[in-house]
Amino acid sequence: MFDIRDIWFLRFLFLIVAIIISKFACWELGGIIVFGLLLMAIYSASWRREAFITIALLLLGSDYYQWYQQGIPRELPVYQKITVSGVVQNLPKQETEKCSFVLENKQQKNWLKNIQVFCDFNPKIQKGDHIIVTADFAPPSSPGNPGEFDYQAYLANHNIYYLASIKEPEDLIIVSPAHGYQGWLNKWRADGISIIYSLLPANEAGILIGMLLGSTEGIDEGEYDSYQKTGIIHVFSVSGFHVAFVLMMVSCLASICRFSIRTRLLILGVVLFIYGSLIAWPIPVIRSVIMGLLPLIAIYTGRKQQMLNGLGLAGIIIIILNPKCVFQISFQLSFMGTWGLVYLYPHIRKLDLVKEWNLSIQDLILIPLCAQIAVLPLIAYYFNIISPVSIISNLLLSYIVGVIVILGFIGFLLAPLLLLPSEIIYTFSGFLIKLMQFINYLLFNIPGGYFWVATPSIIAICLYYIGLMLWSSGFSKQPTWASPLKEKGGIVGISLMGIFILSVIWPAQWINRQHTEIAFVDVGQGDCTLIKSPQGKFILIDGGGSRVSDVGKRKILPYLRYRGINEIYMIINTHPDVDHLQGLETVAREMKVDMAVIPLGLRDHLNYAEFKKILSTQGVKMFHASDGDYINIEPGWGFNIAAAYNDEGAADTNRQSLMIGVEHGNFSVMLCGDIDTQSLNELSSNHNFKEYTIVKVPHHGSRFSYSLEFYEELSPKYAIISVGKNNLYGHPHDEVIKGLKTQEIMILRTDTMGNIRFISDGKKLDLEVFRKGTQPHEQR
């Protein structure tokens, strides 16, 4: 697989292993690796020196990560109304009425040196501006559900530990704008963007700027999602792909001018430095620039080019700059995609099957194919999607995008000086963008072009890459498609890759058959409950919601995708308040839903207008539920409905919430919506409820929804409170907490425990909480 000629790449891999061991304190694994290296030193003279170097590298790497991370406390304090002075560190993301950026200040404390700032206005600041801000500084919240984007970890891997939200313009003062080289870059960038918007329609201009500079604010959200599903979203994240085309452009011009190798190296270095500075040097660009310059340096110095070692050297340099980059998505995708090109591609290119093809056609197909094979597990892990059509989309669109990038860069260089040539260039770029949009639209609508998958485990990902190495190594011995399958290693490799594929496409409804699952999804200040029937039908009751952000897209869909759930049998809304309804609208748009249920008494409520429109567009059947109804899901299993009002007799939607009960053997759950105390008492007297194992506390623990008699009648073992952290309503109220504790009911809260899931076969009950350490795993 690897030999001693790939020594720098192997050192890069062991440096990554050292950082992983240090971060997760896997010292036993480190000991095993060191022991193995010592055995290698004893029994292999050719690898003895390298074995001792690797041991030293492991020790230095783990110590370096610990040193880099030192001083960061486990529990970060909250700072209220403090004023800090600093410099805008990155390129701000600017919208019409919002702005976000990273502030770098000279605080002595490591965890306060970089602050992620959000403004509810646009202060028109630029990278390098010196500013003063006054705000509350608080650490970001950890995710509440499996599969949810871990913003806290994302920021920490970029050495950012605090968020600041600025609502008033007077709380941000620009002391001095950026000057010198950075000020010149800012003006050049701003002028270039302004010219693009003046010459192209807004949509095309946003796409061109996204491709050229990685700024995606001007791209329609729906169109942006379509690029993700067709597998070419990488064209909007400036990476090696863009650097390669810039290198190609400069190299061609240098060849035409017959410059010497030394002059070419100098010109390339200057152009790449300018381009990297324009886009603030993301990791993939650093890697690509190093790898792009190394071959020229090798030629200039008379040394042999070794691309795999070049990749390793680039990785080592980036890790030295920031060892946490190992855990960044951009780092992983960039290096694995490049590994596919420099390792897999040369092996697979030897196949007899394609030798009869024209070499350029062969390369056009194999280059994107090898990159896609290399990053497939990472795409599945981070985005829960596998896109077979991505092979076609990258084949058809990558080179069109490459031309757009080249033209866009030339236009960006010329625009401030020569407007007419830039106008011609941008007009042709606009035509190519329209062509790209049309092709992407066709590919997006191909049936089966993409499909959602469950999040693979780390073990499954490791098995895939081990299998890929075993399979591809067979090509180097006998270059035919069949040869790896004839060898033991090849068969094992294909089998390991198959295990990975099976793990992500295994139907979610086949897991825990004959068990009822109840998952209380953390949606902040709102309600959302996912239920799985014994035969594998998924029902979503309420979906959270917020007037500030799309909770369905941010929390519910990632959780469903994480579990590999691609179809919802039924969605039920207890009442049409935003914090119960909005997320259901998102789910109905994005997933296949068979049926929807709303309260009969609220069927004409204005808040249901958009919901009904979505259901009609998606072809979802709607039903109305009222007091005393039974919703049959499958034989012997369904929902008992209770409601204080069956008509529009109550103006308060909370009072008209549906109460939903479900039973499976000795296990039972009662979901209470936002029903109030008076309605609880009325329903208790009218229905004579039995005992329930679990009660979802009504109205997030409001004091106006508490009834002692209700809990005495149901006598639950668990009380679930779905509530947002530090919410404005004071939920849950102390009186409710005290009352539940007095009755010795175990309280489980989504704000402190995150996702709470129960699994029962009707006899035994398993409890799982997402945030470990907040509540022990229990069995009853």
Side-chain angles (χ1 to χ4, degrees):
M1 297 179 190
F2 298 114
D3 56 38
I4 200 163
R5 291 174 297 179
D6 304 318
I7 201 66
W8 283 104
F9 184 73
L10 292 173
R11 289 171 178 171
F12 165 59
L13 293 182
F14 276 107
L15 186 58
I16 290 176
V17 170
I19 290 170
I20 292 172
I21 289 172
S22 183
K23 177 179 175 64
F24 298 104
C26 306
W27 306 118
E28 296 84 358
L29 174 62
I32 293 171
I33 294 173
V34 170
F35 180 72
L37 289 168
L38 288 174
L39 289 179
M40 180 185 294
I42 294 172
Y43 291 104
S44 176
S46 60
W47 281 93
R48 185 170 299 151
R49 175 174 173 272
E50 193 55 40
F52 285 115
I53 291 176
T54 304
I55 292 173
L57 193 65
L58 286 170
L59 296 174
L60 288 173
S62 60
D63 285 344
Y64 180 59
Y65 181 83
Q66 292 294 323
W67 171 81
Y68 194 87
Q69 182 70 4
Q70 69 181 352
I72 308 299
R74 289 183 176 272
E75 295 293 332
L76 294 169
V78 174
Y79 298 93
Q80 294 185 338
K81 284 296 176 183
I82 63 171
T83 300
V84 297
S85 170
V87 176
V88 179
Q89 185 184 27
N90 65 335
L91 296 171
K93 292 185 178 180
Q94 305 194 40
E95 301 177 28
T96 305
E97 298 180 353
K98 290 183 179 181
C99 178
S100 63
F101 59 90
V102 176
L103 178 68
E104 182 180 24
N105 61 86
K106 296 181 179 180
Q107 287 281 337
Q108 296 295 319
K109 300 170 182 176
N110 288 343
W111 58 91
L112 276 174
K113 287 184 177 178
N114 298 302
I115 308 293
Q116 176 65 58
V117 181
F118 295 93
C119 300
D120 289 348
F121 54 94
N122 192 343
K124 303 292 185 182
I125 59 174
Q126 298 291 336
K127 182 182 179 184
D129 288 356
H130 182 201
I131 64 174
I132 296 175
V133 300
T134 302
D136 295 337
F137 290 179
S141 299
S142 57
N145 305 289
E148 186 180 331
F149 179 62
D150 192 343
Y151 191 51
Q152 185 182 71
Y154 169 82
L155 291 178
N157 289 332
H158 290 79
N159 298 308
I160 302 169
Y161 299 94
Y162 275 89
L163 304 178
S165 179
I166 305 176
K167 301 188 181 298
E168 303 299 332
E170 55 265 26
D171 288 334
L172 188 152
I173 301 171
I174 300 176
V175 178
S176 61
H179 55 274
Y181 176 70
Q182 187 59 56
W184 174 75
L185 275 178
N186 289 341
K187 186 177 185 308
W188 187 11
R189 179 184 171 96
D191 290 346
I193 291 174
S194 177
I195 291 172
I196 290 175
Y197 270 108
S198 68
L199 296 177
L200 290 176
N203 184 39
E204 295 170 22
I207 290 174
L208 178 58
I209 292 168
M211 290 181 184
L212 191 61
L213 303 176
S215 177
T216 59
E217 292 93 317
I219 304 175
D220 177 76
E221 186 177 352
E223 184 174 359
Y224 188 81
D225 287 343
S226 74
Y227 293 123
Q228 181 185 38
K229 292 168 182 174
T230 55
I232 62 162
I233 196 70
H234 60 86
V235 304
F236 298 108
S237 176
V238 181
S239 61
F241 173 86
H242 300 70
V243 173
F245 280 102
V246 172
L247 278 170
M248 185 188 305
M249 176 193 72
V250 178
S251 296
C252 288
L253 292 174
S255 297
I256 293 172
C257 297
R258 297 185 178 181
F259 291 141
S260 65
I261 294 296
R262 181 179 180 179
T263 304
R264 291 184 192 184
L265 184 60
L266 179 62
I267 294 172
L268 276 173
V270 171
V271 171
L272 290 177
F273 179 77
I274 292 173
Y275 186 47
S277 299
L278 279 171
I279 54 181
W281 291 103
I283 284 178
V285 170
I286 298 174
R287 188 267 306 158
S288 304
V289 168
I290 294 172
M291 290 196 66
L293 293 177
L294 281 177
L296 280 176
I297 295 173
I299 294 172
Y300 180 68
T301 58
R303 297 187 179 186
K304 185 178 179 181
Q305 300 180 43
Q306 292 179 317
M307 295 303 294
L308 205 57
N309 274 334
L311 179 62
L313 280 170
I316 290 171
I317 292 170
I318 292 172
I319 288 175
I320 290 173
L321 295 174
N322 178 13
K324 293 183 181 181
C325 69
V326 170
F327 308 104
Q328 296 177 13
I329 300 174
S330 59
F331 177 92
Q332 296 170 15
L333 289 175
S334 175
F335 277 89
M336 288 312 304
T338 307
W339 175 80
L341 297 179
V342 302
Y343 178 82
L344 287 181
Y345 168 68
H347 282 70
I348 298 178
R349 197 172 187 267
K350 299 174 184 178
L351 301 179
D352 285 335
L353 183 62
V354 296
K355 280 187 176 179
E356 298 177 0
W357 295 10
N358 180 284
L359 287 179
S360 60
I361 296 176
Q362 170 185 313
D363 291 343
L364 285 174
I365 296 172
L366 289 183
I367 287 174
L369 177 64
C370 291
Q372 291 295 310
I373 291 173
V375 301
L376 186 146
L378 297 179
I379 297 296
Y381 182 80
Y382 287 113
F383 305 108
N384 295 107
I385 194 170
I386 290 180
S387 179
V389 78
S390 64
I391 304 299
I392 304 173
S393 65
N394 278 277
L395 178 61
L396 295 178
L397 297 178
S398 291
Y399 300 99
I400 294 176
V401 172
V403 175
I404 295 172
V405 170
I406 290 175
L407 292 176
F409 187 64
I410 293 174
F412 220 82
L413 292 173
L414 295 178
L417 305 173
L418 302 168
L419 187 58
L420 181 60
S422 297
E423 186 173 355
I424 297 172
I425 289 171
Y426 285 143
T427 300
F428 185 62
S429 298
F431 167 75
L432 292 178
I433 289 171
K434 288 180 180 177
L435 178 62
M436 181 201 74
Q437 289 175 303
F438 176 71
I439 295 174
N440 185 73
Y441 174 79
L442 295 178
L443 295 174
F444 175 70
N445 287 284
I446 293 177
Y450 67 92
F451 54 92
W452 300 102
V453 296
T455 301
S457 66
I458 299 299
I459 294 176
I461 293 174
C462 292
L463 291 178
Y464 175 91
Y465 283 118
I466 293 171
L468 183 58
M469 294 288 293
L470 291 172
W471 173 70
S472 61
S473 63
F475 292 125
S476 61
K477 301 176 183 178
Q478 300 177 29
T480 66
W481 279 108
S483 60
L485 299 177
K486 296 176 182 177
E487 300 176 9
K488 187 176 180 181
I491 295 173
V492 173
I494 291 292
S495 300
L496 294 178
M497 293 167 70
I499 291 173
F500 167 81
I501 297 296
L502 190 62
S503 72
V504 298
I505 66 172
W506 190 265
Q509 58 266 33
W510 292 3
I511 300 173
N512 290 325
R513 296 286 282 187
Q514 305 308 316
H515 288 68
T516 293
E517 290 187 31
I518 310 283
F520 297 91
V521 184
D522 174 23
V523 290
Q525 185 65 15
D527 270 13
C528 180
T529 307
L530 177 70
I531 302 179
K532 185 190 75 67
S533 73
Q535 293 184 15
K537 293 180 179 178
F538 288 96
I539 301 95
L540 193 65
I541 301 175
D542 289 335
S546 166
R547 301 188 188 279
V548 178
S549 64
D550 189 342
V551 173
K553 193 168 187 177
R554 191 163 48 86
K555 285 179 168 286
I556 302 174
L557 282 176
Y559 175 60
L560 298 177
R561 303 297 189 203
Y562 168 86
R563 294 188 55 180
I565 299 171
N566 296 315
E567 180 177 347
I568 299 294
Y569 177 72
M570 180 182 291
I571 54 178
I572 303 175
N573 177 241
T574 59
H575 64 295
D577 285 0
V578 171
D579 61 333
H580 290 249
L581 178 61
Q582 186 195 61
L584 293 181
E585 296 175 350
T586 301
V587 171
R589 278 194 207 97
E590 297 291 331
M591 301 187 77
K592 184 180 183 303
V593 176
D594 291 335
M595 288 178 279
V597 176
I598 63 174
L600 175 65
L602 295 168
R603 62 190 180 277
D604 296 323
H605 198 282
L606 291 177
N607 285 4
Y608 280 131
E610 179 66 18
F611 187 53
K612 289 178 179 179
K613 182 180 177 181
I614 295 168
L615 296 180
S616 177
T617 302
Q618 301 296 105
V620 180
K621 300 175 184 177
M622 175 180 281
F623 299 94
H624 305 123
S626 60
D627 187 59
D629 285 351
Y630 177 78
I631 302 176
N632 184 53
I633 304 297
E634 60 192 40
W637 194 94
F639 299 131
N640 294 302
I641 304 296
Y645 296 90
N646 286 328
D647 53 36
E648 299 182 18
D652 185 357
T653 57
N654 289 338
R655 296 195 67 190
Q656 300 182 75
S657 296
L658 297 179
M659 286 181 57
I660 301 170
V662 61
E663 303 172 18
H664 183 185
N666 296 328
F667 173 63
S668 55
V669 179
M670 176 62 77
L671 309 173
C672 301
D674 278 358
I675 200 164
D676 66 354
T677 303
Q678 180 183 341
S679 297
L680 277 177
N681 292 333
E682 291 175 4
L683 287 171
S684 295
S685 61
N686 294 335
H687 284 265
N688 192 25
F689 291 121
K690 52 166 279 183
E691 290 187 0
Y692 277 84
T693 314
I694 302 167
V695 167
K696 200 288 295 180
V697 175
H699 207 182
H700 325 292
S702 166
R703 67 180 300 185
F704 304 110
S705 293
Y706 176 69
S707 169
L708 176 62
E709 295 77 11
F710 175 75
Y711 288 105
E712 286 179 343
E713 183 176 0
L714 271 65
S715 187
K717 293 182 175 69
Y718 300 94
I720 311 298
I721 303 178
S722 183
V723 65
K725 187 177 181 181
N726 300 323
N727 63 86
L728 299 175
Y729 310 98
H731 296 159
H733 196 272
D734 290 342
E735 183 180 322
V736 178
I737 298 295
K738 182 179 179 181
L740 294 174
K741 287 183 177 180
T742 300
Q743 294 177 267
E744 298 183 346
I745 301 172
M746 183 178 289
I747 302 170
L748 306 175
R749 298 170 48 165
T750 58
D751 60 336
T752 57
M753 300 175 183
N755 191 291
I756 301 165
R757 184 164 72 136
F758 294 88
I759 305 172
S760 176
D761 60 359
K763 298 178 181 178
K764 188 176 72 171
L765 176 62
D766 291 339
L767 164 62
E768 300 174 359
V769 296
F770 178 58
R771 294 195 180 114
K772 305 299 181 184
T774 55
Q775 179 64 42
H777 179 82
E778 291 199 2
Q779 293 186 342
R780 290 182 182 269

